[in-house]
Amino acid sequence: MEICSVFGSGFHHTLTSPSPSAAASSSSAVPLSSTTIRAINNFDFTATVTSTTIAPLKLDETHKGPTKSSPNLRTVFRKTKQSAIFYIQESSDLESALSRSGGILRVQDLNVILRHFGKLNRWKELSQLFDWMQQNEKTNIASYSSYIKFVGKSLSPLKALDIYSSIRDEATRTNVSVCNSILSCMVRSGKFESSLKMFHQMKRDGLKPDIVTYSTLLVGCVKVKDGYSKALELVKELKYNGLSMDSVIYGTLLSVCASNNQCAEAERYFEEMKSEGHSPNVFHYSSLLNAYAVHGNYKKAENLIQDMRSAGLELNKVILTTLLKVYVRSDLFEKSRVLLNELENLGYAADEMPYCILMDGLVKSGQTLEAKSVFDDMMKKKVRTDGYSYSIMISAFCHVGLLQEAKQLISDYEANYQKYDVVILNSMLCAYCRAGEMDNVMKMMKKMDELAISPDWNTFHILIKYFCSEKLYILAYRTMEDMHKKGHQVEEELCCTLMFHLGKTGAYGEAFSVYNMLRYSKRTMNKSLHEKLLHILVRGRLLKEAYVIVKDNGGLISPSAIKKFATSFMQSGNINLVNDVIKTIHSFGFKINQELFHSAVSRYLEETQKKDLLLQLLQWMPGQGYFVDSSTRNLILKNAHLFGRQTIAELLSKQHIVSKTVKKPQQAQVVKKKREFR
DNA sequence: ATAGGGTTAG
């Protein structure tokens, strides 16, 4: 039978086109997709349907619809719909296929096609179909939840979010499937914080979360710091809502425990799960095993393997690879080698992963050359590599200063593989930086750029360190700025070094900017850093910036540094801030000495339009137990005509009273409470 | 009638 003739000429093109997604004619060697086979099997070629009624179909034929009195017609109708679905799925021109045959299909039929496109990663057609469905008002909740899922999976979680946000109907927007779908997209694209925020908003809008919602969100806890406590909150909430833990939730939770260093808790959940009648599967076991790997608890791991044997579970590749990780983390390298051998015999060591685990462990325990011999062994066996093993060894050689060896591996890699990613490029970059080969450093950066590989934290860190070592401080600064803008946390030690050198070379503003980046990134920073920067800023006469440091961290700065700052500020700081500075350092418990008052007064006398500020200062002083000494007093009196003699006389006499009443022992007490200038 | 899961390496 010639299939083409049954489906009409519209289909012929698809069947004979070389497109890999095209179905095949019976004589072609191209295999049929399972959907195609199903459609053909379900199609009754002997029915009273002729080729012309199948595709394209006329809308008016559908209005008659199937009737109870006519089972034959119903069958015909069902088959017609099936062939229309098939026709649309396999059409090379979706747009025209839809306009010709989409009309007879119900929403659920269109959803079938939507999922078909999604499963086969046919993203363009997926979107085209969904657009058509929207325009023809043929969408329901299932369309949205499927479409959002696939769009998120394809390329752009942001697009999925757009689609979700564009849903006008509140009932659809808070439907649990639709919510679960978009939350899953967000979680899988690493936007866990946003997904939690969305989740809360959804609940306020009327979402009734179910067990799927909670398991979706729990996945986000696996790769996030503080994930364990967030997971606990979610578990508490689901229980509060009357839902109960199922096997899936337990699996995710175990994985959260393993990745968050909660070995004891992982054990507890494992037991709890069993006591609730869920028998653990290979995933539950591997998560627990992974938790044991963190602390190298190989005894417990071996017991667990025994349990698996008793339960009749297969010790698969992942389980044995994870066991290898346990041995490596326990520094049991002999046991590790034996197990790796076993993996090889079982055919579980066809890719580089187990070798990488062993090499990484050896490198971390300082056995670089042993790691290299594992590497050589692996190469001899022609194990497939994606670059992981190379990057482990290149980085290891860099770390111990074996730069020739590192560079040799880079050449080997570049000669044999053309695949680059951020990690392999980082290790190459690191080698060239350590070797001080600027040309090659630039070459690597260019390559990164060309391949549109975005630098990560490590890349920036390597480059900044390198630029610092080459005394290219401004370049290092620009790179750090870039790093900060890209949202990476800057590292304190490196910031400290860079700040110091920027200060030394007169780039004071840049030093201040580095300090601010660090402050922005880190909640707690080394207490001595504020003072170090203060010295730099005072030296650079950036007194306004210096004042910011003092105001925010006065309590952490030594009296001598405060004195140095205040002295400079009185001399050349913004005159409008002089009183503020005095009050601020006083509020931190520093006693203002006479020299500072003297220079403040001198400043004011130089700029007579600021006389109000002088009067304010003189007024403030006695309340805090301060008074001017005789030389300052004489200076003021000499210029008293500028301020109004009467006012000056009154202010000074108030101070005089203070100076008399504050007797020696009392004064000593006041002073004692204050921090002394050294 | 749509939505969820967990394992290994740089």
Side-chain angles (χ1 to χ4, degrees), chain A residues 177-360:
Chain A
S177 296
V178 174
C179 290
N180 289 346
S181 192
I182 185 64
L183 287 174
S184 169
C185 290
M186 301 301 285
V187 166
R188 265 183 292 144
S189 64
K191 306 197 183 309
F192 180 55
E193 283 299 324
S194 324
S195 62
L196 276 186
K197 274 189 199 139
M198 280 180 75
F199 174 58
H200 293 306
Q201 185 58 47
M202 286 162 168
K203 283 189 291 187
R204 282 193 290 273
D205 292 346
L207 163 70
K208 295 274 169 280
D210 65 4
I211 195 73
V212 176
T213 320
Y214 287 105
S215 97
T216 303
L217 292 171
L218 272 178
V219 176
C221 300
V222 175
K223 276 171 186 139
V224 98
K225 68 167 190 300
D226 202 29
Y228 181 66
S229 60
K230 290 206 168 86
L232 284 190
E233 278 174 43
L234 289 167
V235 168
K236 210 169 110 189
E237 189 180 312
L238 80 88
K239 285 182 175 165
Y240 178 81
N241 287 346
L243 299 165
S244 55
M245 308 275 288
D246 64 7
S247 177
V248 174
I249 290 271
Y250 272 116
T252 316
L253 201 50
L254 283 171
S255 152
V256 173
C257 291
S259 62
N260 280 274
N261 242 332
Q262 298 287 339
C263 190
E265 292 304 299
E267 281 180 323
R268 199 174 63 71
Y269 285 119
F270 194 76
E271 290 308 316
E272 185 182 298
M273 177 182 80
K274 285 198 286 191
S275 74
E276 285 175 10
H278 305 288
S279 38
N281 62 25
V282 70
F283 293 104
H284 297 112
Y285 275 105
S286 80
S287 287
L288 187 54
L289 209 51
N290 206 23
Y292 288 147
V294 177
H295 293 296
N297 204 333
Y298 77 98
K299 284 273 178 218
K300 284 187 171 176
E302 286 180 340
N303 286 336
L304 202 63
I305 295 286
Q306 271 314 317
D307 289 350
M308 284 187 77
R309 284 208 175 94
S310 313
L313 286 168
E314 186 207 358
L315 301 181
N316 66 12
K317 182 170 140 182
V318 176
I319 290 287
L320 291 177
T321 309
T322 312
L323 182 62
L324 178 68
K325 191 173 144 187
V326 177
Y327 286 153
V328 166
R329 293 288 174 90
S330 317
D331 282 333
L332 297 171
F333 293 113
E334 265 327 296
K335 255 180 183 302
S336 303
R337 282 176 208 275
V338 173
L339 181 55
L340 180 57
N341 223 313
E342 204 181 315
L343 282 162
E344 285 169 347
N345 294 335
L346 288 164
Y348 291 166
D351 68 49
E352 62 187 332
M353 199 191 297
Y355 300 93
C356 287
I357 291 173
L358 180 54
M359 277 158 45
D360 186 54

Side-chain angles (χ1 to χ4, degrees), chain A residues 498-531:
Chain A
L498 184 56
M499 258 167 51
F500 173 79
H501 287 295
L502 286 168
K504 280 268 176 227
T505 52
Y508 308 108
E510 285 78 3
F512 184 59
S513 167
V514 169
Y515 168 85
N516 282 328
M517 288 184 236
L518 183 60
R519 262 183 84 97
Y520 180 87
S521 299
K522 267 188 95 180
R523 207 156 289 170
T524 53
M525 50 200 261
N526 192 318
K527 287 172 185 158
S528 68
L529 216 60
H530 308 292
E531 182 162 335

